[in-house]
Amino acid sequence: MISKTTINNTHLIATCIILFTGFLFLFNIGKRDLWAPDEPRYAQVSKEMRDSGNFIVPHLNSEPYPDKPPLLFWLINLFSIPFGKITALSSRLPSAFAGIGCCLAIFYLGKSLYHNTRIALLASLFLATSSKFLWMSHRVAFDVLLTFFVTMAIFCFCKGYAARHNHRPITPPISPPLQGKDEGEVKKQERRYYTLFYIFMALGVLTKGPIGFIIPFCIVLTYLILKKDIRVLKETRPWIGGAIFAFIVFTWVYLASIYGGKEYAYQILFKQNVGRFASSFAHKRPFYYYFINFPVNFIPWSIFIPSIAIYLLSKEGRGKIQNILLPVIWVAVVFIFFSIVSGKRDIYVLPLYPAAALITAWFLNEFVEQFRAKHFKKIGYYPCYILCGTTLALSTLLPIAIYKLFPQHTSSTIPFVAILLIGGLVMLRFVRYARIIPFLFTIIFVIFFAFNIGTLKAIPILNQYKSAKEICDKAYSMMKSGEKLAMYDFFRDPYLFYTNRNHIEILHGIDELRRFLNSNERVFLFIQEKDFNKISKLLEVPTFVLKQDSVGHRDMLLISNKDI
């Protein structure tokens, strides 16, 4: 039997993971403003949903918004209840808690697959500290939430599969889930997990469309085909799971088609999904995009990718590939699928990060157990020394780069230099004495402290350049109720959200602009400075610049037809 001590230790480690990732993902997340392009858009859609009371069909600028299903917007509204309004903090909480959930899920999945606490814990921490996953857990985004549901769906499938099938790569003769349990109890456990498998896929669909079903189902299907165990699909009771899945998904689809009309239903079901797959109307990238992009975004753990590949192709590693069959399939399915899709963004492959963390943790566990083996002399130690060198180099190059580019902020680099320098030296010492686990934990804590100090030091500086809140606050303070506000020749969501409006008129062409500014009433306009300089002499209408601000790469003006 599994001892109570083992169970208690697992709960203790899980609690530590929650505390660690909770601080990492939640610290200071509400202090910066919502940054374009995505954050203010999703917050605004949630705001319009709250203001209108229509929680079925999302709207943006008072028009139906068919780009995404509603689950994230529902959750943002749920987390906003204590604040009484949609805020930057409440908008980011779904991503932060989904990130914590992903790390916890991958810990338990690692325990289930390998019966090895070290692999499970390392996988969880690697996922939490991989650069893109860490950053996205601090943003308003669909992708961390989707990753959570994909991970949970695969975890539930594995638990249901393990309840009856002895599939673990490292397993005693009697699978632990079967020990001390009768046939009825095992069957009940199996059915419960398989039902949850379908429920989490349905929630994935409500998060980001059919991809929430396609990814986990294709991973499971490919795994069972390679295991020559395809009959297990019947054991998942697809007629019951499918009915539950259909009820969850199509209840919303049916209501959305009633409230939003057939055009909205067509957009959300076909154009935004099938259309993006076949011929994307945005974010077109070459097929090799993720081969370059993923290693950059999985830093620092991507430094081990070449070593993992070499090891798996070696004589020693080929015999162990069955041990990581599921996470390898997971990575391959997501990677290949999104490489085929014409529209590509780095965040689209976020659902493969938990599997990549599992593979990396498994490889480093092999390294720890065989650190004296000849074949690990290069593939194990070389990446470690590269990480040490990179960390120490950054401690020198960072202040130099900041001094060259932003000399006024050079003093802000002092805590980063201290962390990188001390961390790099400690890492180097651990590697020299073959203490790999302390070396890995040093990297984790360097990232932990550097990132959290970054939210205090660097993020407020970047916020001055990226936020539209200041110019929008100026407009909001000047405008009276009922006065019109428009944008000329562009639409950006922050100007809608931070002026506390649900509709702003978009003007195109000088005739529309002249008509708008010729109003007898006072009106306000957001316009890019370069556009204003081109057309100001052609307007033949008095205009007054009330505020100028740089927002990202745009120089923006707030103008009016009457002086204040």
Side-chain angles (χ1 to χ4, degrees):
M1 293 180 65
I2 300 174
S3 68
K4 289 185 178 180
T5 303
T6 302
I7 294 172
N8 289 337
N9 286 342
T10 299
H11 291 336
L12 177 62
I13 294 170
T15 301
C16 291
I17 290 171
I18 293 171
L19 293 174
F20 177 84
T21 57
F23 194 91
L24 187 61
F25 296 157
L26 292 168
F27 179 70
N28 222 28
I29 63 167
K31 292 300 182 182
R32 67 175 175 87
D33 301 325
L34 297 165
W35 290 356
D38 296 333
E39 286 196 305
R41 180 186 313 140
Y42 302 149
Q44 177 64 26
V45 173
S46 304
K47 176 182 175 295
E48 293 188 32
M49 185 177 278
R50 177 188 177 91
D51 291 347
S52 67
N54 182 353
F55 288 87
I56 302 299
V57 179
H59 283 72
L60 178 64
N61 204 28
S62 297
E63 296 290 334
Y65 179 70
D67 289 26
K68 299 291 188 293
L71 185 55
L72 176 65
F73 308 131
W74 292 344
L75 290 175
I76 290 173
N77 273 283
L78 179 65
F79 283 112
S80 298
I81 290 173
F83 304 96
K85 62 179 181 178
I86 308 294
T87 67
L89 173 59
S90 65
S91 298
R92 294 187 182 115
L93 285 176
S95 289
F97 283 113
I100 296 168
C102 283
C103 294
L104 199 59
I106 209 65
F107 169 74
Y108 280 107
L109 179 57
K111 285 280 291 182
S112 177
L113 287 174
Y114 302 108
H115 211 50
N116 185 312
T117 301
R118 182 162 60 199
I119 294 176
L121 176 59
L122 287 177
S124 177
L125 297 178
F126 291 170
L127 177 62
T129 53
S130 58
S131 56
K132 178 57 71 171
F133 189 87
L134 172 56
W135 178 237
M136 293 310 298
S137 295
H138 276 251
R139 288 183 61 82
V140 187
F142 288 85
D143 304 274
V144 185
L145 191 62
L146 174 66
T147 301
F148 172 69
F149 290 133
V150 168
T151 305
M152 285 302 299
I154 294 171
F155 170 70
C156 289
F157 170 80
C158 288
K159 293 294 287 185
Y161 190 57
R164 185 171 299 276
H165 298 265
N166 185 7
H167 79 296
R168 284 195 183 86
I170 305 171
T171 307
I174 301 176
S175 185
L178 286 171
Q179 292 177 358
K181 297 183 179 181
D182 59 28
E183 179 71 16
E185 190 176 352
V186 169
K187 202 166 187 178
K188 185 178 179 181
Q189 183 186 49
E190 179 186 33
R191 289 179 175 178
R192 180 170 67 248
Y193 280 116
Y194 283 149
T195 300
L196 288 171
F197 168 63
Y198 285 99
I199 290 173
F200 281 116
M201 286 196 296
L203 293 174
V205 172
L206 288 183
T207 300
K208 211 174 178 183
I211 200 69
F213 166 79
I214 293 170
I215 290 177
F217 186 78
C218 286
I219 291 168
V220 167
L221 181 64
T222 306
Y223 177 72
L224 292 176
I225 290 172
L226 293 179
K227 293 283 288 184
K228 299 180 180 179
D229 210 3
I230 195 69
R231 61 184 175 80
V232 168
L233 279 181
K234 186 177 179 180
E235 295 177 12
T236 65
R237 301 190 303 167
W239 51 91
I240 295 177
I244 296 171
F245 175 93
F247 175 78
I248 294 171
V249 172
F250 288 103
T251 296
W252 170 72
V253 171
Y254 173 72
L255 292 173
S257 65
I258 292 176
Y259 288 95
K262 291 182 179 180
E263 177 61 23
Y264 175 81
Y266 169 78
Q267 288 271 342
I268 195 70
L269 289 175
F270 297 102
K271 185 176 180 181
Q272 294 297 328
N273 294 288
V274 178
R276 283 181 185 267
F277 180 87
S279 179
S280 176
F281 39 86
H283 313 300
K284 287 190 175 182
R285 302 285 193 277
F287 76 93
Y288 55 82
Y289 175 76
Y290 294 118
F291 285 95
I292 300 170
N293 197 270
F294 169 70
V296 172
N297 288 325
F298 196 57
I299 285 174
W301 312 114
S302 53
I303 194 70
F304 294 102
I305 290 176
S307 298
I308 294 169
I310 293 169
Y311 181 63
L312 291 176
L313 293 172
S314 69
K315 182 180 178 181
E316 295 81 4
R318 282 197 298 269
K320 297 182 178 181
I321 197 166
Q322 282 292 327
N323 294 2
I324 53 169
L325 182 61
L326 179 62
V328 165
I329 291 170
W330 186 342
V331 169
V333 166
V334 177
F335 199 92
I336 292 170
F337 179 85
F338 284 107
S339 293
I340 295 171
V341 175
S342 57
K344 297 176 178 67
R345 290 181 69 188
D346 54 3
I347 56 176
Y348 289 172
V349 295
L350 205 69
L352 70 75
Y353 280 61
L358 261 179
I359 295 170
T360 308
W362 172 84
F363 169 76
L364 288 170
N365 183 70
E366 292 284 300
F367 179 29
V368 169
E369 292 181 348
Q370 306 173 53
F371 69 95
R372 288 191 176 91
K374 183 178 179 180
H375 54 270
F376 275 111
K377 292 284 180 157
K378 292 182 179 180
I379 65 173
Y381 285 103
Y382 280 12
C384 297
Y385 280 115
I386 291 172
L387 282 174
C388 294
T390 303
T391 304
L392 291 171
L394 281 174
S395 69
T396 303
L397 296 175
L398 178 63
I400 294 173
I402 296 299
Y403 176 75
K404 293 287 186 182
L405 298 172
F406 310 102
Q408 70 274 27
H409 299 305
T410 305
S411 60
S412 299
T413 64
I414 292 174
F416 297 101
V417 170
I419 291 169
L420 292 169
L421 182 60
I422 295 170
L425 292 172
V426 172
M427 288 159 56
L428 186 60
R429 181 174 178 82
F430 282 140
V431 175
R432 287 182 62 188
Y433 289 95
R435 300 185 64 187
I436 306 305
I437 293 299
F439 164 79
L440 295 172
F441 273 89
T442 303
I443 299 174
I444 289 164
F445 280 102
V446 164
I447 295 170
F448 177 84
F449 287 113
F451 185 83
N452 283 311
I453 291 174
T455 65
L456 295 173
K457 294 285 186 179
I459 294 299
I461 296 171
L462 290 172
N463 194 60
Q464 298 173 17
Y465 295 98
K466 292 185 69 68
S467 175
K469 188 174 186 297
E470 185 177 342
I471 193 170
C472 291
D473 284 347
K474 182 72 172 178
Y476 184 72
S477 65
M478 290 180 173
M479 290 186 299
K480 296 179 181 178
S481 179
E483 289 185 325
K484 290 183 178 181
L485 174 66
M487 299 183 198
Y488 176 72
D489 217 23
F490 81 106
F491 173 73
R492 302 295 285 178
D493 315 283
Y495 303 93
L496 189 60
F497 182 80
Y498 280 118
T499 54
N500 197 31
R501 297 195 168 215
N502 291 338
H503 179 73
I504 292 180
E505 185 178 357
I506 313 300
L507 306 176
H508 300 284
I510 194 167
D511 292 334
E512 285 189 19
L513 181 59
R514 190 182 290 117
R515 173 190 56 78
F516 180 77
L517 292 173
N518 264 324
S519 172
N520 293 326
E521 300 175 347
R522 185 172 66 171
V523 296
F524 295 84
L525 177 77
F526 286 120
I527 185 171
Q528 296 185 65
E529 188 172 8
K530 63 177 184 178
D531 292 334
F532 182 72
N533 291 336
K534 289 179 183 177
I535 64 174
S536 57
K537 294 180 180 179
L538 304 174
L539 282 175
E540 302 173 354
V541 177
T543 54
F544 302 89
V545 177
L546 307 178
K547 177 72 175 176
Q548 188 277 338
D549 194 15
S550 294
V551 182
H553 62 278
R554 292 181 174 88
D555 292 321
M556 297 300 304
L557 298 177
L558 172 66
I559 68 173
S560 178
N561 59 345
K562 299 182 185 297
D563 198 5
I564 301 299

